[in-house]
Amino acid sequence: METKAKYVPGLEGVIAAETSISFLDVEKEQIIIQGYDLIELSKRKDYAEIVHLLLEGELPTAAEKAKLEEILKDYYDVPSNVMDVLRLLPEQTHPMDGMRTGLSVLAGFDEAIEDRTLTANKKRAYQLLGQLPTITVNSHRIINGQEPVYPLQDLSYSANFLYMITGEKPSELEVEIFDRLLLLYSEHEMPNSTFAARVIASTNSDIYGALTGAIASLKGNLHGGANEAVMYMLNEVKTVSEFEELLLKKLQKKEKIMGFGHRVYMKKMDPRALITKEALRQLCEKDGDYLLLEMCEAGEKVMEKEKGLYPNLDYYAAPVYWKLGIPIPLYTPIFFSARTAGLAAHVIEQHENNRLFRPRVNYTGARHV
Ligand SMILES: CC(=O)SCCNC(=O)CCNC(=O)[C@H](O)C(C)(C)COP(=O)(O)OP(=O)(O)OC[C@H]1O[C@@H](n2cnc3c(N)ncnc32)[C@H](O)[C@@H]1OP(=O)(O)O
Ligand SMILES: O=C([O-])CC(=O)C(=O)O
């Protein structure tokens, strides 16, 4: 009789890779990105600098940062075929599916697609980062019958992204907050989507396929899809007490409350959520309307008392997006766009030091032979 190896459902705590990209140090409450704490970085650096850190392994000098911003702008153009394909999708298509389709189309335009060298992979990573805001925004617009929008070269990366979403030139505070969200979403060790991307890359498949798989993973509401679900839940009610009642009712029905809990930070608040909560406060101060903050804070108390659970990044990110005037179906696509920096770094690392992922199973079926 064969002895069965220990099976851990959901691979909780299982080490799936060795990486120098990032690590969640739960005890020290630090999200280590290439040696730096993401939360500290969020206070003094911007998204472009984190992109450089993730893909080049170090923070950029001022000149390197300026060059990176130029490179991203040089890659803004998206083949018109991508827009043509998006036009074929039925109107009920979720933008995450539009984006998955759009990104996958790009593979066909890469004339060196079989080149897995570091230089070729990095070039693709920057190209995808340049193109993704346009694909993200238009996956929502085109499917909704609107004309596509294109980037404005005279704005910064984040300002342009937000401008394309809302159609209005954003204020300095709005850009700063949106950029901080991109930074916080940029990388997070080994979530399901990163694992999915690395598994795909480990067959020597290309970055387009790996990232397309990661979009599918990120769409689910146990992962990236939670930010949209949080906003729909907040919009179900109009007052703080109605929100408290809604949460209690859901808990009674054994429903999961979106935006709470985390595989790694189960008994602590996600450190990123503290930053997004602060961003929400800043936006409330600006428009004088504190209702969403008060609702979310009341929800936090209910969940701590009833379940001992704490907010993850998506809980406060959702109302921040709302206050920035971003349509709800774009919340998860924006998460993916931001995460492209981290995902690309992981795909490159996998290609640079690859061994095929191929685990085994404990068979529980019948045996007739
Ligand atoms: C940026 C991100 O992607 S962060 C994740 C975003 N996802 C969400 O917010 C979805 C809601 N949260 C969840 O579903 C979970 O907390 C996850 C998926 C994030 C983590 O899941 P796991 O580590 O597998 O924990 P699991 O689902 O087994 O939960 C453990 C216990 O806590 C409970 N629990 C966990 N999260 C929640 C929640 N949000 N609401 C209510 N109960 C919860 C479970 O019901 C379970 O209770 P039980 O032992 O009595 O059955
Ligand atoms: O780490 C995870 O499992 C999910 C998460 O918070 C992220 O991807 O940012």
Side-chain angles (χ1 to χ4, degrees), residues 118-173:
L118 183 59
T119 314
N121 267 344
K122 269 197 199 170
K123 179 174 171 284
R124 282 186 196 105
Y126 290 120
Q127 171 216 308
L128 285 167
L129 281 160
Q131 290 171 324
L132 262 159
T134 308
I135 296 181
T136 305
V137 176
N138 288 315
S139 67
H140 181 247
R141 288 183 66 88
I142 294 180
I143 290 162
N144 283 285
Q146 294 170 294
E147 282 305 309
V149 279
Y150 296 99
L152 285 185
Q153 290 277 348
D154 60 333
L155 297 179
S156 71
Y157 184 82
S158 302
N160 171 65
F161 198 167
L162 191 52
Y163 153 74
M164 284 201 294
I165 295 168
T166 63
E168 281 166 31
K169 287 219 178 145
S171 69
E172 240 174 71
L173 177 69

Side-chain angles (χ1 to χ4, degrees), residues 246-305:
L246 178 71
L247 293 184
L248 290 170
K249 252 191 237 156
K250 284 180 182 287
L251 288 175
Q252 246 169 20
K253 287 194 269 171
K254 304 259 174 256
E255 280 179 34
K256 278 194 162 177
I257 309 299
M258 294 295 124
F260 283 90
H262 195 282
R263 174 62 65 79
V264 182
Y265 316 111
M266 211 57 173
K267 295 288 165 208
K268 278 182 180 166
M269 182 139 158
D270 180 334
R272 300 168 297 175
L274 286 167
I275 308 289
T276 42
K277 183 174 178 175
E278 199 37 48
L280 178 59
R281 191 183 306 281
Q282 281 180 284
L283 290 170
C284 291
E285 271 160 18
K286 191 180 148 235
D287 68 8
D289 178 357
Y290 287 82
L291 180 62
L292 279 173
L293 178 62
E294 286 163 5
M295 282 165 80
C296 287
E297 283 183 321
E300 243 190 88
K301 289 198 184 108
V302 170
M303 289 302 286
E304 185 180 0
K305 181 162 176 272

Side-chain angles (χ1 to χ4, degrees), residues 221-223 226 256-257 259-261 263 266 307 309 312 314:
N221 68 2
L222 297 188
H223 191 5
K256 278 194 162 177
I257 309 299
F260 283 90
R263 174 62 65 79
M266 211 57 173
K307 298 290 291 184
L309 285 174
N312 58 49
D314 283 339

Side-chain angles (χ1 to χ4, degrees), residues 24 31 184-194 218 222-224 261-265 270 272 312-314 335 339:
L24 306 187
I31 299 168
L184 292 172
Y185 271 119
S186 64
E187 165 61 12
H188 206 237
E189 197 212 69
M190 194 53 71
N192 188 291
S193 47
T194 304
L218 204 85
L222 297 188
H223 191 5
H262 195 282
R263 174 62 65 79
V264 182
Y265 316 111
D270 180 334
R272 300 168 297 175
N312 58 49
L313 172 58
D314 283 339
F335 177 172
R339 183 56 57 84

